[in-house]
Amino acid sequence: MLESGIIIRALMRNKIGALLIALQIALTMTIMVNAIFMIQDRQQQMQRESGIDEKNTFYLTNTVFAQDYNIQVEMQADLNLIRKMPGVVDAIQINAIPLSGGGWSMALQHEPGDDKDTVSSALYMVDDHGINTLGVELIAGVNFTPNDIQWRASGQSTWPDKTIITKAFAKSLYPDDWQSALGKTFYISQNQPMQIVGVMKNLQAPWNGWSGVERSMLVPFQMESQGSKYLIRTEAGRRDELMPIIEKALAERIKGRLIRRVTTIEDTRKKSYRQHNATNKILTTVVSTLTLITGFGIVGLALFSINRRTKQIGTRRALGATKWQIMRYFMVENFIISTFGVIFGCIGAIALNMWLATTFNLTPINIELIIIGAITLFIVGQLAVLYPARKASLISPATATRTI
Amino acid sequence: MLIMKDISKIFQTGDIQTHALRDFNLTVNEGDFISVTGPSGSGKTTFLNIAGLLETYTHGEFLLDGEDVGKLNDNGRSRMRNEKIGFIFQGFNLIPDLNLFDNVDVPLRYRGFNAKQRKLRIEENLERVGLASRMKHLPSQLSGGQQQRVAIARALATSPRFLLADEPTGNLDSEMANGVMSLLEEINQQGTTIVMVTHDALLAERATRTIQVKDGRVSELEILAQQAIA
Amino acid sequence: MFSYYLKIAWISILRHWGLSLLMICAIGLGIGAAMTTVTVNYLMSANPIPHKSEQLYYVQLDSWDVNDPFDEGKNPPDQMTYTDATNLWKAKKAFRQSVNAQTYAVIEPNDPDLLPIIADGRANTADFFAMFDVPFIYGGGWTEQADINKELVVVINKETNDKVFGGKDSVGETLKIDGDMFKVVGVINTWEPKPRFYDVTTGAFNKSADIFVPFSLIAEEKVRRSGNTNCWKPSGDGLAAFLAGECVWTQLWVELKTEQDKQEYLTFLNAYVEEQKQYGRFLRPLDNRLSNVMQWLENQEVVADDAKMMMAMSFMFLVVCLLNTVGLLLAKFLGKAPEIGLRQALGASKTTLFSQYMIESACIGLAGGILGLILAYLGLKGVESLYGDTMQGLATLDVSMTALAIILSLVSTILAGLYPTWRACNIQPAQQLKSQ
């Protein structure tokens, strides 16, 4: 463009003004790109599937306080009651709930001994209804049989000899061929053998921030414990209707225990990712206000510079410049400033990402985001300068002949 | 009152030196009404800026009311402008955001008068230029001639001994210009020394003394001629 | 003169209200964002017990697996085994010492009309209350004798007292906890230290306990343990085997009056570990630590990464807002060049002009600061509603934060105004006064 030389020379005479806008654009881009990157990262985490039928599942806690209470008998009676209710798909007693943040982890090792390498995993204690209640998909091997289920006394240190693990866990044990894990015997608690009888497609651990969140195992245990949780899966759409009914039925069936914290898995997910969600909302707000501020800053400065140049613009018009040429002048000017801003912005974005990566263990940024950020800021700049440029183009050529 | 001895002003633009004033000599006496004429680019504006302490000079000696201007620092010059000099400009130079009262108030504030004194002076001087009734108006609500009257009121408000006027009627039609000139004459008769730059020969003649600036020098002949008349 | 500058600034701000509004909004948003995140960080890193945080120490012993060190050997385990905690407690080498762990219990109110309630509890030894200055309304803590004799005594909080006893002085009453009758010895007032420094392992910003019972009752199976348990070595079956095992789940705090006491206690700890080595325990190199309250909170990274990251982001945001302000002020002041030239001609010195334009900047800064405070208040409300319980009490503006907001906005706007003002003061009057 012919006039870009003229524009650059004019900018050089007002270096500071142009530099301030360029710096704003650069910083905005730095923040924007990194914030969007973090938002995406969190969103990806939030979109991971837990593996269970989240929509139709809920759980409650059962806390026994009476002294003369037969835990084994009453628990079986509770489960029988729930499983027979119309609308209920299945129910189990379980030690921990996926996504809830609290649970149990154990490690498996290829060979027995106290100095061998281990791979840790979340551990869920379920009976033969576990697969059905959780709604997980068994992709290899078999489910537990009723005969596999053992009672676990509080504080017991021995483990059953069968387990069903997730595919991700199998992959950690056999990085080359996860299928070879099936049927193999591993060791839990350093030296107790445990055979993998089945592999599930996926089931997340209760801790969403854990790097091994996809590694879980089911063991055929029912707990003889005063505090336990019941996980209940209903037919599609009947969860909310059944929650109070089941709570009431259990509470009325026997005294001496408390039924509490009747919670849906959907709520558990919400609570589990609450911080992620909150951070994302805050970051979104920051990025949008920041963009607005930068945009308005450009508008303000452009209006001012046009006010100061009213006479000059009038003279140009008098000398034959068209409205479009006047507008174009300001738009090209903004484009040139934005280019400098975006170049610094790229450097800034990468630098901030590097700092965040080392300080907060974030992964490096991808290049598409930087390009998207750059394009966004060019667009913001052009949109912001549109109104002032239009205003400039409306300055009457007669202004040139006025004295003041 | 004002003594300039061999004043030079050199502007340096790259390698080129421009002599705006060279060996400029002038003495202004108390009560003079001097008009300064000269062609465009002759150095009359530079003279006025130096006389008004708005610009510094390169060489020479300049005494204003007995004080050596060359020895003053920036603050000293500000104080002197405020106390001894009143300015009137071709473009009026009123502050558009402030009403007439506040415009006249500006130099009084810098002088440090108290509220009562300021009010008295503002009213007195606006009265003098016939605009007391429009004190709360903004400059944009006045005609050019009225604006220049406000500027004169502002220049007089601090009771300066010395009034500098730069083409005071340049932006006015002849009738308004005549009014402003009469006002200046009246002020001069009351004892204020006036130096007025103009290119209007008719107006220049109404001064008690006329000097011509050419190529940055006072045209000697002209001075002699004037002195002969006096 | 000051009032004159204020008046001129006021006129100037009003006359260019669009521009002024833009600057005030920019500063307000910047300050609002910065103050929101600063407040969250400040409250997260607050000292929960300022008057004695330097005398309270958290004790860590490295009893972990020699083959697979805890935290890759960077830190000793964050809790202690039952064996070590009780041994150190019995040794009584510190001015005060308290072993504690998290518990939960079902309370059956004496009034049959009231439903049983589940209470979060803490099992601790007698010194706990005195060490942490727990405020009592009625009664007090129990004696060391009660710990030793495993007495069924309980201290309850105000909320529980209101629920179960209708808020009356319940000292001496009995309370059925997990089927046993406990004697109430004290009722504490609302006590919610933020962070909950005495136990950060289960959430540094969680609620404090509802009831407090003697630690020795855990071994008697009178109360149920909850909280985190971490083991590196399998223990045998049953509670006795578990207690004797290498699982860490207890926390030991000691109160040491002087630096010398601290050194002596550390020497004692080292000697204790050396002695335990004879029984085949503590195979890792000696790494015993005493951390005072603030060191411990720091070590446990109580301030969330998210909070720190957002603070960094919000300060960059503030910088953008200030650059914006610098640009707008510059445009505004340079737009006033003719006025500045005139003022100089009328006798304004550079100092005078400097003060005038700085005051104008400061006025905008002050307005921005006030707007920023309002936005910070709203921002904190937003943060609170977004984060829920974990942010309860962490999202309030106190006096020092309010003052900081105002100071921050003034200082930053004055900084932002510095360059434009300097430029304005250096305008050459002669050039501005020529007719255009």
Side-chain angles (χ1 to χ4, degrees):
Chain A
M1 238 176 270
L2 283 173
E3 55 192 347
S4 53
I6 300 169
I7 297 173
I8 290 175
R9 280 196 294 280
L11 280 177
M12 289 311 285
R13 281 193 292 276
N14 182 22
K15 272 188 277 272
I16 297 292
L19 191 71
L20 284 170
I21 302 184
L23 266 179
Q24 264 185 69
I25 292 176
L27 266 177
T28 306
M29 178 162 160
T30 303
I31 300 176
M32 179 193 270
V33 168
N34 278 283
I36 293 177
F37 175 65
M38 283 188 272
I39 293 171
Q40 278 185 342
D41 184 52
R42 282 184 169 71
Q43 249 159 9
Q44 271 163 13
Q45 282 185 42
M46 285 159 74
Q47 275 159 2
R48 293 177 308 195
E49 283 175 18
S50 63
I52 65 175
D53 182 11
E54 289 185 28
K55 271 203 172 63
N56 303 307
T57 308
F58 71 96
Y59 68 95
L60 48 83
T61 59
N62 175 40
T63 312
V64 176
F65 58 86
Q67 305 290 50
D68 51 344
Y69 189 100
N70 189 327
I71 291 173
Q72 290 196 10
V73 171
E74 301 303 346
M75 194 205 83
Q76 214 51 60
D78 281 345
L79 287 179
N80 287 340
L81 172 82
I82 302 169
R83 283 168 186 168
K84 277 198 197 107
M85 285 181 123
V88 171
V89 173
D90 214 338
I92 45 168
Q93 181 214 40
I94 196 165
N95 63 320
I97 307 294
L99 296 163
S100 70
W104 197 318
S105 111
M106 284 301 286
L108 289 188
Q109 52 200 76
H110 288 269
E111 293 162 61
D114 60 8
D115 53 354
K116 299 295 187 295
D117 285 342
T118 63
V119 182
S120 54
S121 152
L123 182 140
Y124 294 107
M125 300 178 191
V126 300
D127 63 11
D128 52 316
H129 293 258
I131 297 279
N132 191 32
T133 311
L134 289 162
V136 292
E137 191 186 332
L138 200 60
I139 52 173
V142 293
N143 190 3
F144 303 126
T145 64
N147 288 336
D148 294 329
I149 315 302
Q150 302 175 17
W151 280 104
R152 179 183 189 274
S154 186
Q156 180 178 327
S157 64
T158 53
W159 294 91
D161 55 4
K162 285 181 179 175
T163 183
I164 298 171
I165 65 171
T166 59
K167 188 174 149 187
F169 190 13
K171 268 187 185 162
S172 308
L173 293 168
Y174 286 99
D176 303 325
D177 176 23
W178 64 268
Q179 274 168 318
S180 58
L182 189 67
K184 291 279 179 351
T185 297
F186 288 85
Y187 295 88
I188 189 165
S189 204
Q190 294 180 353
N191 49 24
Q192 298 180 35
M194 192 175 240
Q195 191 195 16
I196 294 171
V197 297
V199 179
M200 305 173 274
K201 191 172 162 215
N202 58 330
L203 173 63
Q204 284 192 329
W207 316 279
N208 64 44
W210 182 40
S211 57
V213 67
E214 302 295 343
R215 291 202 297 270
S216 298
M217 60 196 287
L218 304 181
V219 294
F221 252 158
Q222 296 219 294
M223 292 149 281
E224 189 176 358
S225 135
Q226 288 171 306
S228 65
K229 298 182 178 74
Y230 295 162
L231 186 79
I232 300 143
R233 181 179 173 200
T234 69
E235 285 166 10
R238 299 195 62 183
R239 182 196 67 196
D240 294 347
E241 155 206 353
L242 284 167
M243 279 168 70
I245 299 174
I246 292 174
E247 183 183 5
K248 192 156 169 268
L250 287 176
E252 281 170 359
R253 201 188 65 76
I254 186 168
K255 303 283 173 211
R257 53 96 174 271
L258 283 176
I259 301 296
R260 279 295 162 92
R261 302 197 171 113
V262 188
T263 316
T264 66
I265 298 296
E266 280 181 338
D267 280 346
T268 308
R269 167 177 283 275
K270 242 183 237 163
K271 206 176 160 192
S272 172
Y273 286 110
R274 192 168 206 170
Q275 193 168 343
H276 279 29
N277 220 332
T279 308
N280 272 3
K281 279 189 183 149
I282 293 170
L283 287 176
T284 312
T285 319
V286 165
V287 169
S288 26
T289 25
L290 190 59
T291 314
L292 273 180
I293 289 212
T294 306
F296 276 108
I298 293 172
V299 174
L301 285 176
L303 277 179
F304 237 85
S305 91
I306 286 162
N307 264 344
R308 278 177 68 198
R309 286 191 268 184
T310 301
K311 188 151 179 181
Q312 195 195 99
I313 295 163
T315 312
R316 276 169 193 273
R317 291 276 285 134
L319 295 176
T322 63
K323 284 186 178 179
W324 164 239
Q325 280 167 330
I326 298 289
M327 271 186 85
R328 196 178 60 185
Y329 180 93
F330 288 99
M331 293 176 80
V332 171
E333 184 186 75
N334 177 271
F335 188 82
I336 293 168
I337 296 173
S338 296
T339 307
F340 281 103
V342 162
I343 292 169
F344 288 123
C346 287
I347 300 168
I350 293 167
L352 178 64
N353 178 252
M354 277 160 59
W355 179 73
L356 288 172
T358 49
T359 320
F360 302 116
N361 291 320
L362 290 181
T363 44
I365 210 156
N366 44 341
I367 196 78
E368 296 101 79
L369 261 182
I370 293 185
I371 295 168
I372 292 170
I375 293 171
T376 313
L377 281 164
F378 273 120
I379 294 173
V380 167
Q382 291 295 302
L383 282 180
V385 88
L386 210 57
Y387 168 71
R390 173 99 190 120
K391 219 178 145 188
S393 76
L394 294 177
I395 289 172
S396 151
T399 322
T401 57
R402 274 185 218 137
T403 39
I404 290 178
Chain B
M1 176 76 219
L2 177 148
I3 301 163
M4 282 189 182
K5 258 190 214 158
D6 299 335
I7 292 286
S8 304
K9 174 76 182 179
I10 302 166
F11 291 106
Q12 186 97 25
T13 321
D15 292 336
I16 305 158
Q17 286 191 343
T18 315
H19 288 256
L21 290 181
R22 41 177 109 209
D23 303 331
F24 192 97
N25 286 294
L26 181 68
T27 305
V28 177
N29 299 314
E30 185 98 46
D32 277 354
F33 187 165
I34 298 184
S35 66
V36 181
T37 60
S40 191
S42 59
K44 45 184 202 300
T45 305
T46 306
F47 156 70
L48 197 79
N49 284 340
I50 291 174
L53 274 56
L54 294 173
E55 244 175 65
T56 52
Y57 46 90
T58 321
H59 305 291
E61 201 184 344
F62 174 19
L63 298 174
L64 185 68
D65 207 15
E67 261 189 271
D68 186 350
V69 174
K71 285 182 181 152
L72 293 174
N73 62 12
D74 192 73
N75 279 346
R77 286 198 300 273
S78 293
R79 194 193 41 147
M80 195 134 175
R81 280 197 295 268
N82 183 260
E83 288 175 3
K84 299 202 169 140
I85 308 171
F87 285 96
I88 302 166
F89 307 96
Q90 181 179 5
F92 322 138
N93 292 25
L94 297 176
I95 297 174
D97 297 349
L98 304 181
N99 63 27
L100 304 194
F101 185 95
D102 287 335
N103 258 294
V104 179
D105 189 32
V106 172
L108 300 175
R109 289 281 187 170
Y110 294 134
R111 185 68 155 274
F113 286 128
N114 65 32
K116 209 173 137 194
Q117 284 172 317
R118 290 201 315 270
K119 191 165 184 289
L120 197 75
R121 279 173 179 262
I122 294 165
E123 284 168 357
E124 191 182 291
N125 284 289
L126 280 173
E127 186 79 41
R128 195 165 168 188
V129 301
L131 286 166
S133 59
R134 311 192 66 169
M135 241 181 281
K136 296 290 166 199
H137 288 219
L138 287 176
S140 55
Q141 293 166 306
L142 301 181
S143 72
Q146 287 170 323
Q147 287 192 39
Q148 194 60 300
R149 283 162 180 278
V150 177
I152 293 170
R154 182 177 64 191
L156 296 175
T158 49
S159 326
R161 309 257 317 271
F162 191 50
L163 203 59
L164 286 174
D166 182 9
E167 303 272 11
T169 58
N171 284 346
L172 303 175
D173 62 36
S174 58
E175 194 184 330
M176 283 179 178
N178 200 28
V180 167
M181 268 315 285
S182 310
L183 189 59
L184 289 179
E185 279 166 348
E186 188 190 320
I187 291 160
N188 177 244
Q189 272 150 28
Q190 286 161 8
T192 308
T193 311
I194 299 181
V195 174
M196 175 179 76
V197 169
T198 183
H199 62 266
D200 186 329
L202 275 171
L203 290 177
E205 276 173 18
R206 290 170 72 166
T208 55
R209 214 178 126 191
T210 305
I211 61 165
Q212 200 178 18
V213 182
K214 248 185 207 164
D215 295 330
R217 285 199 175 94
V218 178
S219 161
E220 300 284 344
L221 280 172
E222 209 58 41
I223 292 173
L224 287 173
Q226 287 295 323
Q227 279 173 346
I229 293 165
Chain C
M1 244 5 220
F2 184 75
S3 63
Y4 180 62
Y5 296 149
L6 272 184
K7 179 183 164 187
I8 295 293
W10 177 241
I11 290 174
S12 166
I13 287 169
L14 277 190
R15 288 282 292 180
H16 306 270
W17 62 269
L19 197 67
S20 310
L21 196 68
L22 190 54
M23 288 190 277
I24 291 170
C25 285
I27 295 166
L29 282 167
I31 296 289
M35 286 317 297
T36 306
T37 55
V38 167
T39 307
V40 170
N41 274 272
Y42 161 80
L43 292 171
M44 274 187 164
S45 55
N47 188 341
I49 181 160
H51 53 289
K52 59 194 297 192
S53 67
E54 307 261 300
Q55 291 165 19
L56 297 174
Y57 294 90
Y58 189 81
V59 185
Q60 281 172 286
L61 304 178
D62 197 345
S63 58
W64 214 248
D65 188 357
V66 68
N67 294 312
D68 184 12
F70 192 89
D71 193 16
E72 291 163 353
K74 281 179 275 185
N75 282 297
D78 57 348
Q79 297 188 92
M80 200 180 277
T81 64
Y82 176 82
T83 314
D84 294 324
T86 42
N87 284 346
L88 294 175
W89 174 70
K90 279 180 193 154
K92 287 174 60 172
K93 291 288 180 195
F95 175 66
R96 286 186 181 120
Q97 44 255 306
S98 173
V99 184
N100 67 91
Q102 189 174 306
T103 64
Y104 78 105
V106 175
I107 299 175
E108 291 172 80
N110 304 345
D111 182 348
D113 293 340
L114 295 174
L115 285 173
I117 48 178
I118 294 182
D120 290 324
R122 183 139 296 265
N124 53 271
T125 54
D127 282 348
F128 184 93
F129 304 103
M131 275 174 89
F132 299 137
D133 282 341
V134 182
F136 278 90
I137 313 177
Y138 305 120
W142 55 82
T143 60
E144 203 185 310
Q145 215 49 46
D147 281 320
I148 296 166
N149 298 342
K150 306 175 175 81
E151 286 172 27
L152 296 177
V153 289
V154 63
V155 167
I156 60 178
N157 71 352
K158 189 170 177 294
E159 205 183 328
T160 309
N161 189 49
D162 289 347
K163 254 189 246 167
V164 180
F165 295 108
K168 66 168 183 183
D169 181 355
S170 57
V171 173
E173 301 272 340
T174 55
L175 188 59
K176 197 170 181 188
I177 298 171
D178 281 350
D180 288 305
M181 299 308 285
F182 280 67
K183 191 175 129 205
V184 178
V185 293
V187 179
I188 65 164
N189 208 341
T190 309
W191 182 59
E192 294 289 347
K194 299 272 178 184
R196 193 185 63 183
F197 66 99
Y198 66 81
D199 184 1
V200 294
T201 63
T202 51
F205 299 98
N206 281 351
K207 253 177 66 53
S208 205
D210 299 317
I211 63 169
F212 301 82
V213 294
F215 180 76
S216 51
L217 295 178
I218 288 182
E220 299 297 302
E221 294 189 70
K222 293 292 182 195
V223 287
R224 304 178 237 206
R225 281 189 320 110
S226 62
N228 291 334
T229 303
N230 223 332
C231 311
W232 60 270
K233 192 178 184 179
S235 49
D237 286 340
L239 185 65
F242 171 78
L243 294 179
E246 289 293 346
C247 296
V248 296
W249 56 276
T250 70
Q251 300 164 11
L252 176 68
W253 282 92
V254 293
E255 183 172 344
L256 303 165
K257 290 287 184 196
T258 63
E259 182 62 28
Q260 196 195 340
D261 290 351
K262 183 193 163 187
Q263 289 311 326
E264 281 170 11
Y265 198 78
L266 203 56
T267 313
F268 158 69
L269 284 180
N270 292 343
Y272 168 77
V273 170
E274 289 296 346
E275 186 197 313
Q276 288 291 313
K277 278 175 188 276
Q278 293 171 10
Y279 303 106
R281 298 183 63 222
F282 291 96
L283 296 175
R284 296 250 314 132
L286 210 60
D287 186 8
N288 304 322
R289 297 197 194 167
L290 286 175
S291 319
N292 69 29
V293 174
M294 294 314 281
Q295 287 165 340
W296 179 236
L297 294 180
E298 172 105 357
N299 176 277
Q300 291 293 292
E301 293 172 357
V302 157
V303 182
D305 271 0
D306 269 12
K308 285 190 210 162
M309 183 202 72
M310 278 195 273
M311 186 162 81
M313 290 275 214
S314 68
F315 269 94
M316 291 179 66
F317 181 94
L318 178 61
V319 171
V320 175
C321 295
L322 290 177
L323 283 176
N324 205 302
T325 311
V326 175
L328 294 174
L329 277 177
L330 188 64
K332 185 175 181 183
F333 289 171
L334 292 186
K336 280 173 179 277
E339 178 183 329
I340 293 166
L342 178 80
R343 284 183 182 276
Q344 282 180 284
L346 297 179
S349 65
K350 281 190 177 147
T351 333
T352 316
L353 287 172
F354 190 81
S355 320
Q356 181 185 326
Y357 290 105
M358 280 325 275
I359 283 172
E360 187 168 335
S361 308
C363 283
I364 288 172
L366 194 66
I370 292 167
L371 178 66
L373 264 182
I374 297 168
L375 290 176
Y377 176 77
L378 294 177
L380 287 171
K381 285 271 164 235
V383 165
E384 203 171 43
S385 72
L386 282 176
Y387 283 95
D389 312 337
T390 49
M391 282 286 166
Q392 283 296 327
L394 280 181
T396 46
L397 278 170
D398 60 12
V399 179
S400 51
M401 282 292 111
T402 310
L404 181 67
I406 295 290
I407 292 168
L408 186 65
S409 60
L410 276 177
V411 168
S412 49
T413 335
I414 286 172
L415 279 180
L418 223 49
Y419 176 73
T421 307
W422 179 77
R423 283 283 299 267
C425 293
N426 279 296
I427 282 168
Q428 288 305 312
Q431 280 180 22
Q432 300 301 329
L433 296 168
K434 276 186 209 146
S435 60
Q436 283 138 2

